[in-house]
Amino acid sequence: DIWRKSISRSSVVVDPTRRYFQYVLPASKTDHLFEGQNIILGEYIDDVLSFDILTAYLVARDLRFPLSPALWVTAAGELPTRTWFLERLNSVLRDPTVGGHSLRAGGATFFASIGWPDDRIQDLGRWKSSAFKIYIRKNPVILNALVLSSRCRT
């Protein structure tokens, strides 16, 4: 049921002083106790001023669909589906091979490339195992960086 997994607009907490957002992810495959997980988004995500973008989205969303209980809605006021999201992602990236799993693997690789420790990457992706390391090791940029860093230490 899509509504069971839908993020509630009422779960959003906005802190304009510290410039962050927080909401509750009600269900995920890693939430075995069905408690939900708090998601916190800071002011910047990869040099993009995410706080201002999210604030503008909330204002527009609340004006157009004030009675919708869902946080994320399409321009038609409907819940976005996985298919809806992937179609738009592929139209922007112009690469039909990119899927939802690509984002998780790409995220793990990106954060490894900027030096995040494994436990932080694991928490971010909500991985319970070290499976995310498979994606990182397959990336040629990361492999090259690891080879170069090991040469510098010797």
Side-chain angles (χ1 to χ4, degrees), residues 45-153:
I45 299 174
D46 194 24
D47 294 331
V48 174
L49 195 53
S50 59
F51 186 85
D52 290 348
I53 292 169
L54 290 169
T55 300
Y57 169 77
L58 285 176
V59 168
R61 179 235 170 270
D62 291 349
L63 283 173
R64 289 192 67 192
F65 308 106
L67 300 178
S68 175
L71 171 60
W72 306 112
V73 293
T74 67
E78 299 169 350
L79 288 176
T81 62
R82 176 181 168 83
T83 302
W84 179 92
F85 176 78
L86 291 176
E87 284 173 357
R88 273 135 197 92
L89 179 66
N90 289 329
S91 72
V92 170
L93 298 178
R94 302 181 203 281
D95 183 355
T97 64
V98 174
H101 197 69
S102 304
L103 299 176
R104 290 177 56 79
T109 300
F110 169 76
F111 288 111
S113 75
I114 62 171
W116 277 28
D118 287 352
D119 61 335
R120 190 169 177 200
I121 296 169
Q122 188 174 5
D123 286 345
L124 178 72
R126 298 185 317 273
W127 276 285
K128 296 296 181 193
S129 71
S130 59
F132 69 93
K133 292 181 181 181
I134 295 167
Y135 307 119
I136 295 170
R137 291 188 183 121
K138 288 183 179 179
N139 184 283
V141 174
I142 301 298
L143 288 172
N144 190 37
L146 290 172
V147 169
L148 290 175
S149 70
S150 67
R151 287 183 184 165
C152 292
R153 285 184 248 164

Side-chain angles (χ1 to χ4, degrees), residues 9-25:
R9 170 63 177 95
S10 65
S11 76
V12 175
V13 175
V14 179
D15 186 331
T17 304
R18 296 189 314 210
R19 296 180 59 85
Y20 79 86
F21 284 83
Q22 179 177 330
Y23 61 84
V24 176
L25 183 65

